[in-house]
Amino acid sequence: MPGKLKAKIVAGRHLPVMDRASDLTDAFVEVKFGNTTFKTDVCPKSLNPQWNSEWFKFEVDDEDLQDEPLQITVLDHDTYSANDAIGKVYIDIDPLLYSEAASVISGWFPIYDTIHGIRGEINVIVKVELFNDLNRFRQSSCGVKFFCTTCIPQCYRATLVHGFVEELVVNEDPEYQWIDRIRTPRASNEARQRLISLMSGELQRKIGLKVLEMGGNAVVGYLQCFDLEGESGLVVRAIGTACTLDKLSSGTPASNACNSPSKDGKEALPTSSSPPPFSPSKPCSRQSSSSDTDLSLTPKTGKNTWPRPSFPFSSLPSPTLHIGEFPFFTLTSFPPGFLLHVGGVVSARSVKLLDRIHNPDEPETRDAWWEEIRQEIKSHARALGCHAVVGYSESTSICEEVCILSASGTAAILNPRYMREGCLDIGCTDHRFEEPSPPNCGFCHIPYDELNMPFPAQLTYCYHCRRQKVPDVLFTTIDLPSEAAVAGKGCLIQARLCRLKKKAQGEANATAISNLLPFMEYELHTQLMNKLKLRSMNALFGLHIQISVGENMLLGLASATGVYLTALPAPGGIQIAGKTPGDLSSEHISSIQKRINDTIAVNKELYQINPPELAEEGVGSPIPEPRHRSRLFRSHSESSDELSELDLSHGKKDAFVLEIDDTDAVEDIHSLLIDAPPPTGFYSCNTENMPGISNWTSGVQMFTSVRVLRLSNANLTNQGLNKIFTDLCENLLKSFYFKLRSMIPCCLCHLNFTVAVPEEELIQVTVTAVAMTYDKEQTQEKTAEKPINKGSLEAEEQLQFPLELCADSSSSNIQTASKISEGRSRSLRSSRSFGGSSVTVVKMTPLSFLPGTRIIKYLGIINMFFIRETTSLREEGGVSGFLHSFIAEVFAMVRAHVAALGGNAVVSYSMKECVFMENPNKNQAQCLINVSGDAVICISETDQESSASTANTGQTGGSETDGAT
């Protein structure tokens, strides 16, 4: 269907000097959409030009509006030579295509150049006139809303959840085309940025078409990723959960229809008296999916496929639960009662050998790879007696021609009352749905058959209801349910692992990596279990495991939030037993045992873990059979002689036994005691909410850190590399505590660690998180009565970053609270005057909410990709200075686009990609960053009465002078 796009160039400011003779610039602007280009007049000899151009009009199809960005190029006019480029601005038109969207994009946009960074600003006004039609054969998906948040958005109610949607598009990477040898680095970078922007728009449109075919109108938990496969090509892929959302009336509290925490720390049910009819339907896929019974884990033979690590329950028959369709959910938070039972984490990995993409229009090879991974996830979930996977995510790690595909989620049983009738075909022999489970412990009850467990586990009766069995530990990838009963507070638990590998090429390299993966996963899970016991906790939430591949090493990082669920049995201590190496005396082993016991006692007090007293018959867990117990030992030996020497009668009967059989085992035990607890007044977690804390104040500070470490010693061992990697992560956390010490009491929430091996001797760690303050002494009842501090709500963000020495580099975006006069706007969107112009303060947070505020409108997703390159790395402050300035520019451009839409905040912000490459000998460096989030309008919770009028004024977008740098 036809549409009309109109753009107007108003003015520019702070442009760079392009004419050295006059120290001025002769600037003009090219406005391009598709194959049509308009130009403004040249504004001679001015660094702050005023164009006030006419309206440039583009008549295009709505399909092009979704695929193409509006491209604005600022140039310097030269009479006798080619015009010099100053920079570009890409404006995504998609936020204007919703029925509830803003009618105009208006504001100051930073002019970005891939070589020099931001070079001034330009004021642009963009409008869209769309003529809807009812053609069912159309190729556009206008009207489908996208949300990055992994819960039902505030101010919306989910009436239907249709299920999983996925799509990917492929193309050749301009960086590896033959023409790249003769064009400039700027031209190469801009070609790459433009292609990725086009592919992103096409991908989003195709996902929207699938949602429309399902009958939905929104995608929640939208996750888009880029796979830079080098010479093999460029892949952009996305997954999400298709939903039908209804907008709540302005008078309905947002907390009634979403999962953001209320002041009492609980989540309210949807507004209707009965649960909303969640009804997963058949996932829409380009390929014909395999039958539910055809779930063989044996990969298809071929040169590009290697065996994946198998699980102990992969060969068991499916349970007596017949399921019509198998839904995947990218959501991590749900309304109370939606999750009946949680089985545990299911994951699958596969090693592939990349080949060149011959036809970008037929990406069947990549589709087949991911379909194979999803089939394996399904089989694992069914082995756990579950019919759905929640908290589902996919990721890749690429080095040269080898790619590791990873997928993980949490197997779960969903409430049939939330499902459309007939969607789930539950067998008549299944009695798990006859009696409702208590809300505070029901999700902990095992969904699998106790007599035919897929793995060895210690089961006891639930410590709450005493009716169903629960496991001794529970691992999940979702956030902690609001109705869960928790003792004390949670904490961040990380497992870190490095493994060296020999350099190889092709199939030999892929085979070596495939052989290492199962052992790395086992070691990571062993570390998680040990550290969980050391903190006297029994459950992990938000579990995220990364395996990153490099030329000569593999990095593994597992992050989760540990909690103590009162429905599960109390964790036993850690008991050291078995043979000791010859260089270790029994006194030294005893001292280690004492340190472990003391650490457990200190952690109980630190995290305030005081579970309620239980009856004598309810205390303790049965000790499994010896053949099952051996699975829990640290030792890799299966010798019955060594097992018989373990003193299982020593200490507590339910102690977790670690067998010391070599020096490596001693190193692992020492690593348990290396993790220093956070300083007094600090807590940390990788989930949205810290378990045990609900009385949040309005102090919020987001920060991002990128640290690059160059390995100097070429003769490192696995133990030495592990210590370097562990110290790198620990020092990062310590630097956060030091920089944020003025916010005590404080909690670091949504700590998202990403590790990479960009080059042979480089280790890169990227962290994004938010620091939130809470009232230490205030009770929940007092919290509900205390007014919100509007001044601190309007905190302005600024960057604080000390340049570090050597190869360590760190960039931090740290917000500092600043008071704002009461006479200003009561909403978060305040304007400050700097030199006669107003600047919109745009808050950024990785959470789906801002404490003390209410989201009244979603303006669309922000999905931006930037490339920065320099040939003067040392002159820009080295690696740390280069990364710091680039990340600051990314934040400035994100804020400017949100302000131009009329928003005042970005929620669910994430930095999905941060690829850094360095050539110190040539003084060169390049960095690629992809960021995303939801642009929103927030108001203070005390501003209930004026929310409707604020929403109406926000629909027209920002004024021509609004912007943020």
Side-chain angles (χ1 to χ4, degrees):
M1 61 182 171
K4 184 181 292 185
L5 172 66
K6 299 191 296 183
K8 182 177 182 179
I9 308 300
V10 180
R13 63 187 181 189
H14 311 314
L15 298 186
V17 173
M18 303 298 292
D19 186 356
R20 296 302 177 186
S22 62
D23 287 340
L24 295 171
T25 298
D26 302 324
F28 71 99
V29 180
E30 289 184 353
V31 183
K32 182 178 180 180
F33 189 84
N35 297 322
T36 306
T37 304
F38 294 99
K39 294 183 180 180
T40 67
D41 296 333
V42 177
C43 188
K45 300 187 183 304
S46 176
L47 299 182
N48 300 285
Q50 298 289 327
W51 289 290
N52 289 318
S53 70
E54 60 180 352
W55 286 97
F56 301 127
K57 299 178 181 179
F58 305 86
E59 294 183 356
V60 294
D61 292 335
D62 55 349
E63 177 183 353
D64 296 328
L65 287 173
Q66 289 186 293
D67 289 357
E68 293 267 356
L70 180 65
Q71 180 176 319
I72 297 172
T73 307
V74 185
L75 302 103
D76 174 61
H77 176 73
D78 288 330
T79 305
Y80 301 106
S81 61
N83 298 325
D84 297 325
I86 297 177
K88 289 180 179 286
V89 176
Y90 292 96
I91 300 178
D92 185 13
I93 309 300
D94 197 64
L96 295 178
L97 305 181
Y98 305 140
S99 58
E100 306 167 358
S103 59
V104 63
I105 298 177
S106 174
W108 288 96
F109 294 88
I111 303 170
Y112 182 71
D113 179 68
T114 59
I115 303 298
H116 300 288
I118 292 178
R119 310 180 80 187
E121 297 173 279
I122 186 170
N123 193 302
V124 183
I125 305 176
V126 181
K127 294 182 179 180
V128 169
E129 296 178 3
L130 201 59
F131 306 100
N132 292 319
D133 63 11
L134 300 177
N135 181 11
R136 64 189 183 93
F137 298 104
R138 63 177 183 167
Q139 294 299 311
S140 72
S141 57
C142 292
V144 177
K145 295 179 285 292
F146 287 80
F147 302 91
C148 294
T149 176
T150 55
C151 62
I152 302 302
Q154 294 188 36
C155 68
Y156 285 96
R157 175 180 178 270
T159 59
L160 287 173
V161 177
H162 301 275
F164 182 69
V165 287
E166 56 81 24
E167 186 60 80
L168 63 84
V169 294
V170 300
N171 212 321
E172 294 184 0
D173 193 340
E175 189 82 7
Y176 295 89
Q177 293 176 346
W178 67 268
I179 197 173
D180 190 64
R181 300 176 182 175
I182 59 175
R183 62 184 173 190
T184 63
R186 175 183 286 109
S188 178
N189 293 335
E190 290 177 353
R192 208 177 195 186
Q193 279 192 167
R194 174 171 170 76
L195 176 63
I196 290 177
S197 181
L198 291 172
M199 295 174 67
S200 177
E202 178 188 356
L203 182 70
Q204 193 168 323
R205 175 176 57 84
K206 290 183 176 180
I207 289 280
L209 284 173
K210 291 186 175 183
V211 174
L212 289 177
E213 292 176 2
M214 293 179 172
N217 64 2
V219 178
V220 183
Y222 184 69
L223 175 63
Q224 179 176 303
C225 298
F226 299 90
D227 296 335
L228 304 176
E229 298 182 354
E231 296 182 357
S232 298
L234 181 64
V235 178
V236 184
R237 52 187 173 81
I239 59 176
T241 303
C243 302
T244 298
L245 301 181
D246 286 347
K247 185 74 182 296
L248 294 175
S249 60
S250 58
T252 305
S255 59
N256 288 345
C258 66
N259 300 324
S260 63
S262 56
K263 289 185 178 181
D264 60 356
K266 300 294 183 180
E267 294 174 352
L269 283 168
T271 53
S272 60
S273 58
S274 61
F278 286 90
S279 57
S281 60
K282 185 175 181 179
C284 184
S285 177
R286 206 171 23 248
Q287 299 192 7
S288 58
S289 59
S290 303
S291 63
D292 292 336
T293 56
D294 184 18
L295 294 173
S296 173
L297 298 184
T298 304
K300 298 178 177 61
T301 58
K303 71 172 186 177
N304 292 345
T305 303
W306 282 262
R308 292 189 297 277
S310 59
F311 291 79
F313 51 84
S314 59
S315 59
L316 292 176
S318 300
T320 59
L321 178 64
H322 308 288
I323 300 176
E325 306 295 343
F326 197 102
F328 287 88
F329 292 90
T330 54
L331 306 180
T332 59
S333 299
F334 305 90
F338 183 68
L339 289 178
L340 281 183
H341 306 290
V342 172
V345 172
V346 288
S347 65
R349 301 187 192 275
S350 179
V351 181
K352 300 295 183 182
L353 191 62
L354 300 173
D355 54 357
R356 182 174 292 276
I357 299 174
H358 300 287
N359 187 359
D361 296 329
E362 298 179 358
E364 279 78 8
T365 301
R366 272 70 178 172
D367 271 336
W369 290 352
W370 286 113
E371 184 63 26
E372 184 181 315
I373 290 285
R374 294 175 192 129
Q375 288 292 324
E376 184 170 344
I377 292 286
K378 291 179 185 179
S379 68
H380 294 332
R382 289 195 174 124
L384 289 172
C386 298
H387 62 234
V389 174
V390 296
Y392 180 73
S393 63
E394 297 175 348
S395 62
T396 60
S397 178
I398 299 173
C399 180
E400 299 296 337
E401 71 276 14
V402 174
C403 176
I404 299 178
L405 284 69
S406 304
S408 64
T410 301
I413 290 183
L414 310 180
N415 194 333
R417 295 188 303 142
Y418 288 75
M419 304 296 176
R420 186 177 56 196
E421 184 177 356
C423 178
L424 298 179
D425 181 17
I426 301 172
C428 59
T429 59
D430 198 325
H431 304 287
R432 291 175 291 180
F433 305 99
E434 294 181 358
E435 297 183 4
S437 300
N440 58 353
C441 67
F443 75 96
C444 300
H445 298 167
I446 60 170
Y448 39 84
D449 184 8
E450 180 183 359
L451 301 179
N452 190 21
M453 290 191 299
F455 48 76
Q458 303 181 63
L459 302 179
T460 58
Y461 280 102
C462 175
Y463 279 37
H464 280 182
C465 64
R466 310 298 297 173
R467 291 183 298 177
Q468 300 291 334
K469 291 293 184 69
V470 295
D472 57 339
V473 293
L474 182 64
F475 286 13
T476 72
T477 59
I478 60 175
D479 289 339
L480 178 69
S482 61
E483 65 270 23
V486 176
K489 296 181 174 61
C491 73
L492 177 71
I493 296 180
Q494 280 193 334
R496 309 161 188 125
L497 187 65
C498 295
R499 283 291 178 264
L500 295 171
K501 72 175 186 67
K502 294 182 179 179
K503 290 184 180 180
Q505 298 293 328
E507 297 185 9
N509 191 24
T511 303
I513 294 173
S514 182
N515 292 335
L516 278 174
L517 281 181
F519 299 101
M520 290 192 65
E521 289 215 64
Y522 177 82
E523 292 288 340
L524 288 173
H525 278 273
T526 300
Q527 284 190 39
L528 287 175
M529 183 70 75
N530 293 344
K531 294 184 178 182
L532 189 68
K533 298 285 184 180
L534 193 70
R535 287 160 177 80
S536 192
M537 298 178 181
N538 54 20
L540 291 179
F541 289 89
L543 177 61
H544 180 51
I545 300 179
Q546 306 170 66
I547 303 290
S548 184
V549 59
E551 291 185 11
N552 61 342
M553 73 178 78
L554 287 173
L555 292 184
L557 179 66
S559 302
T561 298
V563 299
Y564 184 98
L565 295 178
T566 56
L568 270 57
I574 298 179
Q575 177 67 45
I576 300 177
K579 286 184 177 180
T580 60
D583 57 342
L584 290 178
S585 62
S586 59
E587 291 80 8
H588 184 57
I589 297 299
S590 300
S591 66
I592 295 178
Q593 180 69 65
K594 184 178 184 302
R595 288 181 61 191
I596 290 177
N597 295 338
D598 293 343
T599 304
I600 293 176
V602 169
N603 286 333
K604 277 189 176 182
E605 182 178 355
L606 175 64
Y607 300 111
Q608 303 171 11
I609 299 176
N610 297 310
E613 295 294 333
L614 300 171
E616 183 65 29
E617 61 271 12
V619 178
S621 304
I623 297 180
E625 297 296 328
R627 62 184 181 89
H628 288 170
R629 189 62 175 268
S630 62
R631 302 278 187 109
L632 303 175
F633 294 152
R634 172 62 184 83
S635 172
H636 292 183
S637 172
E638 297 296 335
S639 170
S640 59
D641 295 337
E642 291 185 0
L643 293 179
S644 63
E645 295 180 10
L646 291 176
D647 186 10
L648 296 179
S649 63
H650 180 73
K652 297 179 61 177
K653 291 290 184 180
D654 55 353
F656 188 79
V657 179
L658 296 179
E659 181 184 3
I660 297 181
D661 54 356
D662 54 18
T663 307
D664 291 344
V666 179
E667 293 289 337
D668 291 342
I669 293 178
H670 276 299
S671 67
L672 286 179
L673 306 173
I674 290 177
D675 293 349
T680 303
F682 276 105
Y683 292 97
S684 58
C685 65
N686 73 331
T687 53
E688 284 214 340
N689 294 301
M690 165 58 75
I693 300 179
S694 59
N695 50 337
W696 302 110
T697 64
S698 54
V700 177
Q701 298 184 2
M702 191 197 78
F703 58 89
T704 292
S705 176
V706 178
R707 182 161 294 185
V708 179
L709 176 66
R710 180 171 294 277
L711 302 176
S712 57
N713 187 359
N715 299 320
L716 287 173
T717 62
N718 284 332
Q719 288 78 13
L721 200 57
N722 282 336
K723 186 178 186 306
I724 291 175
F725 184 41
T726 299
D727 291 343
L728 177 62
C729 296
E730 284 295 316
N731 291 335
L732 259 177
L733 288 173
K734 291 177 182 178
S735 69
F736 298 155
Y737 298 141
F738 178 77
K739 295 174 184 178
L740 298 168
R741 62 192 183 279
S742 62
M743 294 185 64
I744 292 177
C746 169
C747 177
L748 307 186
C749 295
H750 213 287
L751 271 164
N752 182 18
F753 279 73
T754 304
V755 296
V757 189
E759 296 178 13
E760 181 178 351
E761 297 178 353
L762 291 183
I763 296 178
Q764 175 185 312
V765 180
T766 305
V767 185
T768 299
V770 61
M772 303 171 62
T773 59
Y774 63 94
D775 196 325
K776 193 172 184 180
E777 299 178 355
Q778 184 185 31
T779 61
Q780 292 184 3
E781 291 76 14
K782 292 181 180 179
T783 304
E785 299 173 358
K786 184 176 180 179
I788 301 298
N789 183 350
K790 291 182 288 186
S792 59
L793 272 176
E794 301 176 6
E796 179 187 1
E797 301 174 4
Q798 70 177 18
L799 289 166
Q800 297 177 353
F801 171 66
L803 299 181
E804 308 217 358
L805 301 177
C806 301
D808 288 349
S809 65
S810 175
S811 292
S812 300
N813 172 33
I814 300 194
Q815 311 171 22
T816 56
S818 58
K819 296 290 184 179
I820 293 182
S821 62
E822 292 293 334
R824 300 194 179 176
S825 172
R826 298 177 66 190
S827 69
L828 262 179
R829 187 169 179 262
S830 62
S831 294
R832 297 188 175 192
S833 179
F834 293 97
S837 62
S838 61
V839 177
T840 301
V841 177
V842 177
K843 300 282 290 183
M844 298 174 62
T845 175
L847 307 178
S848 62
F849 65 96
L850 280 170
T853 69
R854 186 164 64 90
I855 297 176
I856 61 173
K857 188 172 184 180
Y858 283 82
L859 302 171
I861 65 170
I862 300 294
N863 196 346
M864 309 177 76
F865 184 88
F866 300 101
I867 300 177
R868 183 77 158 84
E869 186 172 347
T870 181
T871 55
S872 55
L873 182 62
R874 286 187 292 271
E875 291 77 4
E876 293 189 20
V879 174
S880 56
F882 172 71
L883 288 174
H884 167 71
S885 60
F886 184 33
I887 293 175
E889 290 169 344
V890 170
F891 289 152
M893 288 181 280
V894 169
R895 290 191 176 99
H897 281 74
V898 174
L901 286 169
N904 60 8
V906 180
V907 297
S908 301
Y909 168 85
S910 66
M911 183 182 291
K912 294 191 177 68
E913 299 284 346
C914 182
V915 182
F916 175 77
M917 292 164 284
E918 178 191 10
N919 189 338
N921 296 328
K922 294 185 178 181
N923 200 24
Q924 296 176 346
Q926 186 185 54
C927 187
L928 299 83
I929 288 182
N930 172 227
V931 296
S932 64
D934 294 320
V936 299
I937 299 176
C938 292
I939 63 171
S940 169
E941 285 185 345
T942 59
D943 233 357
Q944 303 289 340
E945 298 177 357
S946 60
S947 61
S949 60
T950 306
N952 292 333
T953 57
Q955 287 182 356
T956 60
S959 65
E960 295 181 7
T961 57
D962 285 347
T965 57

